[in-house]
Amino acid sequence: LAKTTQPISMDSYEGQEVNITCSHNNIATNDYITWYQQFPSQGPRFIIQGYKTKVTNEVASLFIPADRKSSTLSLPRVSLSDTAVYYCLVGGDNYGGSQGNLIFGKGTKLSVKP
Amino acid sequence: GAVVSQHPSWVICKSGTSVKIECRSLDFQATTMFWYRQFPKQSLMLMATSNEGSKATYEQGVEKDKFLINHASLTLSTLTVTSAHPEDSSFYICSARVGQSGNTIYFGEGSWLTVV
Protein backbone atom coordinates (compact mmCIF):
# COMPACT_ATOMS: atom_id res chain seq x y z
CA LEU A 1 0.00 0.00 0.00
CA ALA A 2 1.62 3.15 -1.24
CA LYS A 3 0.33 5.65 1.29
CA THR A 4 0.82 9.28 0.45
CA THR A 5 1.49 12.23 2.73
CA GLN A 6 1.00 15.85 1.73
CA PRO A 7 0.87 19.16 3.58
CA ILE A 8 -2.68 19.92 4.66
CA SER A 9 -2.66 23.44 3.31
CA MET A 10 -0.55 26.02 1.51
CA ASP A 11 -0.97 29.72 0.84
CA SER A 12 0.35 31.62 -2.13
CA TYR A 13 -0.11 34.86 -4.03
CA GLU A 14 -1.05 35.40 -7.60
CA GLY A 15 1.84 35.12 -10.01
CA GLN A 16 4.00 33.01 -7.73
CA GLU A 17 5.26 29.52 -8.43
CA VAL A 18 3.83 26.91 -6.09
CA ASN A 19 5.47 23.60 -5.28
CA ILE A 20 3.51 20.90 -3.50
CA THR A 21 5.40 17.86 -2.32
CA CYS A 22 3.98 14.41 -1.75
CA SER A 23 5.77 11.65 0.16
CA HIS A 24 5.27 8.04 -0.86
CA ASN A 25 8.02 6.08 0.84
CA ASN A 26 6.80 2.61 -0.08
CA ILE A 27 6.10 3.21 -3.74
CA ALA A 28 6.28 0.00 -5.78
CA THR A 29 8.35 -0.55 -8.90
CA ASN A 30 5.39 -0.42 -11.28
CA ASP A 31 3.63 2.49 -9.56
CA TYR A 32 3.00 5.75 -11.38
CA ILE A 33 2.42 9.08 -9.67
CA THR A 34 -0.61 11.09 -10.66
CA TRP A 35 -1.78 14.48 -9.45
CA TYR A 36 -5.34 15.71 -9.43
CA GLN A 37 -7.01 19.05 -8.77
CA GLN A 38 -10.42 19.25 -7.16
CA PHE A 39 -12.74 22.21 -6.85
CA PRO A 40 -15.70 22.15 -4.42
CA SER A 41 -18.58 20.01 -5.66
CA GLN A 42 -16.63 18.75 -8.66
CA GLY A 43 -14.84 15.54 -9.45
CA PRO A 44 -11.03 15.54 -9.40
CA ARG A 45 -9.41 16.74 -12.60
CA PHE A 46 -6.29 15.06 -13.98
CA ILE A 47 -3.28 17.37 -13.95
CA ILE A 48 -0.17 15.36 -14.66
CA GLN A 49 1.33 11.90 -14.36
CA GLY A 50 4.87 10.62 -14.23
CA TYR A 51 7.08 7.68 -13.40
CA LYS A 52 10.51 9.21 -12.88
CA THR A 53 12.57 12.36 -13.46
CA LYS A 54 10.61 15.30 -14.80
CA VAL A 55 7.38 15.61 -16.72
CA THR A 56 5.97 18.87 -18.02
CA ASN A 57 2.70 19.74 -19.69
CA GLU A 58 0.84 22.94 -20.42
CA VAL A 59 -0.34 23.45 -16.85
CA ALA A 60 2.26 21.94 -14.52
CA SER A 61 5.53 20.15 -14.01
CA LEU A 62 6.15 17.05 -11.98
CA PHE A 63 9.54 16.37 -10.43
CA ILE A 64 10.37 12.88 -9.23
CA PRO A 65 13.76 12.14 -7.64
CA ALA A 66 15.71 9.01 -8.44
CA ASP A 67 14.49 7.10 -5.39
CA ARG A 68 10.86 7.97 -6.26
CA LYS A 69 9.93 8.23 -2.61
CA SER A 70 8.49 11.67 -3.15
CA SER A 71 7.24 13.88 -5.92
CA THR A 72 6.70 17.60 -6.35
CA LEU A 73 3.95 19.23 -8.33
CA SER A 74 5.00 22.63 -9.61
CA LEU A 75 2.40 25.18 -10.68
CA PRO A 76 3.96 28.18 -12.45
CA ARG A 77 2.49 31.63 -11.88
CA VAL A 78 -0.66 30.63 -10.04
CA SER A 79 -3.87 32.62 -10.31
CA LEU A 80 -6.90 32.89 -8.06
CA SER A 81 -8.59 30.15 -10.06
CA ASP A 82 -5.91 27.69 -8.95
CA THR A 83 -7.36 27.73 -5.43
CA ALA A 84 -8.35 24.10 -4.97
CA VAL A 85 -7.41 20.85 -3.27
CA TYR A 86 -4.57 18.93 -4.87
CA TYR A 87 -4.17 15.19 -4.46
CA CYS A 88 -1.32 12.90 -5.39
CA LEU A 89 -2.13 9.29 -6.14
CA VAL A 90 0.33 6.47 -6.42
CA GLY A 91 -0.68 3.36 -8.28
CA GLY A 92 0.47 0.78 -10.72
CA ASP A 93 -0.62 -0.85 -13.87
CA ASN A 94 -3.10 -3.03 -12.04
CA TYR A 95 -5.22 -0.44 -10.35
CA GLY A 96 -7.49 -2.01 -7.82
CA GLY A 97 -9.23 -0.62 -4.80
CA SER A 98 -8.57 -3.67 -2.68
CA GLN A 99 -4.87 -3.19 -3.29
CA GLY A 100 -5.07 0.29 -1.99
CA ASN A 101 -3.80 1.87 -5.16
CA LEU A 102 -6.67 4.30 -5.40
CA ILE A 103 -6.83 5.45 -1.84
CA PHE A 104 -6.86 9.20 -1.59
CA GLY A 105 -4.93 10.98 1.10
CA LYS A 106 -6.19 14.18 2.62
CA GLY A 107 -4.80 16.34 -0.17
CA THR A 108 -3.35 19.82 -0.01
CA LYS A 109 -5.67 22.79 0.09
CA LEU A 110 -4.02 25.56 -1.89
CA SER A 111 -5.27 29.08 -1.30
CA VAL A 112 -4.14 31.71 -3.77
CA LYS A 113 -4.52 35.29 -2.62
CA PRO A 114 -4.55 38.46 -4.73
CA GLY B 1 -7.98 13.83 -21.61
CA ALA B 2 -10.68 11.20 -21.52
CA VAL B 3 -14.20 12.23 -20.56
CA VAL B 4 -16.26 10.60 -17.85
CA SER B 5 -19.83 11.75 -17.37
CA GLN B 6 -22.17 11.24 -14.43
CA HIS B 7 -25.92 11.60 -14.29
CA PRO B 8 -27.72 13.05 -12.52
CA SER B 9 -25.60 15.89 -11.18
CA TRP B 10 -27.84 16.13 -8.17
CA VAL B 11 -30.85 14.24 -6.91
CA ILE B 12 -33.21 14.47 -3.97
CA CYS B 13 -35.06 11.39 -2.84
CA LYS B 14 -37.25 10.35 0.05
CA SER B 15 -36.07 8.01 2.79
CA GLY B 16 -36.67 4.41 1.93
CA THR B 17 -36.56 4.86 -1.81
CA SER B 18 -33.80 3.86 -4.21
CA VAL B 19 -31.84 6.09 -6.50
CA LYS B 20 -29.56 5.25 -9.42
CA ILE B 21 -26.50 7.18 -10.53
CA GLU B 22 -24.96 6.53 -13.93
CA CYS B 23 -21.33 6.81 -14.90
CA ARG B 24 -20.35 6.79 -18.55
CA SER B 25 -17.02 6.87 -20.32
CA LEU B 26 -17.78 8.99 -23.38
CA ASP B 27 -14.76 8.57 -25.62
CA PHE B 28 -13.09 5.40 -24.42
CA GLN B 29 -13.87 1.93 -23.18
CA ALA B 30 -13.45 1.34 -19.48
CA THR B 31 -13.16 -2.20 -18.23
CA THR B 32 -12.76 -0.89 -14.72
CA MET B 33 -14.62 1.91 -13.01
CA PHE B 34 -14.49 3.07 -9.42
CA TRP B 35 -17.05 4.64 -7.12
CA TYR B 36 -16.22 7.09 -4.36
CA ARG B 37 -18.18 9.09 -1.86
CA GLN B 38 -17.07 12.37 -0.38
CA PHE B 39 -18.45 14.23 2.61
CA PRO B 40 -18.00 18.01 2.86
CA LYS B 41 -14.44 19.11 3.53
CA GLN B 42 -13.21 15.52 3.51
CA SER B 43 -11.21 13.46 1.07
CA LEU B 44 -12.64 10.93 -1.33
CA MET B 45 -13.41 7.50 0.08
CA LEU B 46 -13.25 4.56 -2.29
CA MET B 47 -16.42 2.48 -2.08
CA ALA B 48 -15.98 -0.17 -4.72
CA THR B 49 -14.29 -1.26 -7.91
CA SER B 50 -16.61 -2.06 -10.78
CA ASN B 51 -15.42 -4.55 -13.39
CA GLU B 52 -17.24 -4.98 -16.68
CA GLY B 53 -19.08 -8.26 -16.81
CA SER B 54 -18.31 -9.32 -13.27
CA LYS B 55 -19.24 -8.52 -9.70
CA ALA B 56 -17.99 -5.38 -8.07
CA THR B 57 -15.36 -5.51 -5.38
CA TYR B 58 -16.37 -3.55 -2.30
CA GLU B 59 -14.09 -1.89 0.19
CA GLN B 60 -14.26 -2.90 3.80
CA GLY B 61 -17.23 -1.39 5.58
CA VAL B 62 -19.25 -0.70 2.44
CA GLU B 63 -22.56 -2.58 2.33
CA LYS B 64 -22.80 -4.31 -1.02
CA ASP B 65 -26.54 -4.93 -0.63
CA LYS B 66 -27.14 -1.26 -0.06
CA PHE B 67 -24.88 0.14 -2.76
CA LEU B 68 -25.59 -1.96 -5.83
CA ILE B 69 -23.10 -1.61 -8.64
CA ASN B 70 -23.64 -2.84 -12.17
CA HIS B 71 -21.09 -2.59 -14.97
CA ALA B 72 -22.95 -4.11 -17.87
CA SER B 73 -21.00 -2.54 -20.70
CA LEU B 74 -17.57 -1.11 -21.38
CA THR B 75 -18.90 2.44 -21.16
CA LEU B 76 -21.47 2.34 -18.37
CA SER B 77 -21.45 1.62 -14.66
CA THR B 78 -24.35 2.35 -12.34
CA LEU B 79 -24.55 2.83 -8.60
CA THR B 80 -27.92 2.24 -6.98
CA VAL B 81 -28.42 3.39 -3.42
CA THR B 82 -31.17 1.19 -2.06
CA SER B 83 -33.49 2.08 0.81
CA ALA B 84 -31.80 5.41 1.11
CA HIS B 85 -31.42 7.08 4.50
CA PRO B 86 -30.48 10.68 5.31
CA GLU B 87 -26.99 9.52 6.31
CA ASP B 88 -26.48 8.35 2.72
CA SER B 89 -26.60 11.97 1.63
CA SER B 90 -23.23 12.69 0.11
CA PHE B 91 -21.28 13.55 -3.03
CA TYR B 92 -20.75 10.44 -5.13
CA ILE B 93 -17.98 10.39 -7.73
CA CYS B 94 -17.10 7.76 -10.28
CA SER B 95 -13.88 7.30 -12.16
CA ALA B 96 -12.75 5.12 -15.02
CA ARG B 97 -9.47 3.58 -16.00
CA VAL B 98 -8.39 4.09 -19.58
CA GLY B 99 -7.91 0.75 -21.31
CA GLN B 100 -7.41 -2.63 -19.76
CA SER B 101 -3.99 -1.92 -18.34
CA GLY B 102 -3.81 1.83 -18.40
CA ASN B 103 -2.66 3.60 -15.29
CA THR B 104 -4.54 6.85 -15.80
CA ILE B 105 -7.84 7.38 -14.05
CA TYR B 106 -10.34 10.01 -15.08
CA PHE B 107 -13.15 11.23 -12.87
CA GLY B 108 -16.75 12.19 -13.47
CA GLU B 109 -18.25 15.46 -12.36
CA GLY B 110 -19.85 13.93 -9.29
CA SER B 111 -23.43 13.52 -8.17
CA TRP B 112 -24.97 15.12 -5.10
CA LEU B 113 -27.47 12.91 -3.32
CA THR B 114 -29.77 14.36 -0.70
CA VAL B 115 -32.09 12.02 1.16
CA VAL B 116 -34.96 13.69 2.95
Side-chain angles (χ1 to χ4, degrees):
Chain A
L1 172 60
K3 182 180 178 181
T4 60
T5 303
Q6 304 173 231
I8 295 297
S9 64
M10 293 183 69
D11 291 334
S12 181
Y13 290 93
E14 280 190 294
Q16 288 186 332
E17 177 185 78
V18 171
N19 296 308
I20 306 174
T21 298
C22 179
S23 297
H24 28 80
N25 290 321
N26 57 343
I27 187 171
T29 302
N30 63 341
D31 282 347
Y32 281 74
I33 300 157
T34 312
W35 284 80
Y36 293 89
Q37 174 192 57
Q38 187 183 30
F39 297 111
S41 297
Q42 294 186 26
R45 183 177 75 98
F46 174 90
I47 302 174
I48 197 166
Q49 182 182 75
Y51 184 79
K52 61 180 179 180
T53 64
K54 177 184 175 181
V55 179
T56 298
N57 62 21
E58 61 275 10
V59 297
S61 294
L62 178 59
F63 298 92
I64 305 169
D67 65 6
R68 302 198 330 120
K69 294 183 183 298
S70 67
S71 59
T72 299
L73 172 71
S74 181
L75 304 173
R77 297 179 299 281
V78 294
S79 63
L80 296 177
S81 61
D82 292 318
T83 295
V85 178
Y86 292 81
Y87 296 96
C88 76
L89 239 64
V90 175
D93 183 57
N94 186 24
Y95 272 131
S98 60
Q99 297 176 27
N101 288 339
L102 285 182
I103 306 300
F104 277 78
K106 297 184 184 300
T108 298
K109 180 175 173 55
L110 173 65
S111 298
V112 180
K113 303 175 183 179
Chain B
V3 179
V4 177
S5 179
Q6 281 184 241
H7 178 82
S9 298
W10 57 272
V11 58
I12 301 173
C13 71
K14 293 183 177 180
S15 290
T17 62
S18 296
V19 62
K20 180 186 291 186
I21 301 171
E22 294 185 345
C23 178
R24 294 181 185 274
S25 56
L26 297 186
D27 52 358
F28 66 100
Q29 293 184 331
T31 54
T32 306
M33 291 183 172
F34 308 91
W35 286 95
Y36 292 82
R37 67 186 299 181
Q38 185 177 34
F39 293 107
K41 298 185 184 294
Q42 294 188 22
S43 185
L44 287 79
M45 184 192 80
L46 181 66
M47 298 175 66
T49 301
S50 170
N51 298 299
E52 187 267 335
S54 64
K55 293 183 178 180
T57 303
Y58 290 82
E59 295 300 300
Q60 189 174 8
V62 178
E63 301 175 60
K64 62 180 181 180
D65 294 330
K66 180 170 183 61
F67 299 99
L68 301 180
I69 292 172
N70 183 277
H71 194 157
S73 78
L74 287 171
T75 59
L76 174 64
S77 175
T78 60
L79 168 68
T80 301
V81 183
T82 63
S83 186
H85 286 210
E87 55 264 32
D88 297 326
S89 299
S90 186
F91 190 52
Y92 292 87
I93 311 170
C94 74
S95 66
R97 186 174 77 185
V98 177
Q100 293 187 352
S101 60
N103 45 48
T104 303
I105 311 295
Y106 292 93
F107 288 82
E109 313 96 320
S111 300
W112 272 109
L113 169 63
T114 301
V115 184
V116 298

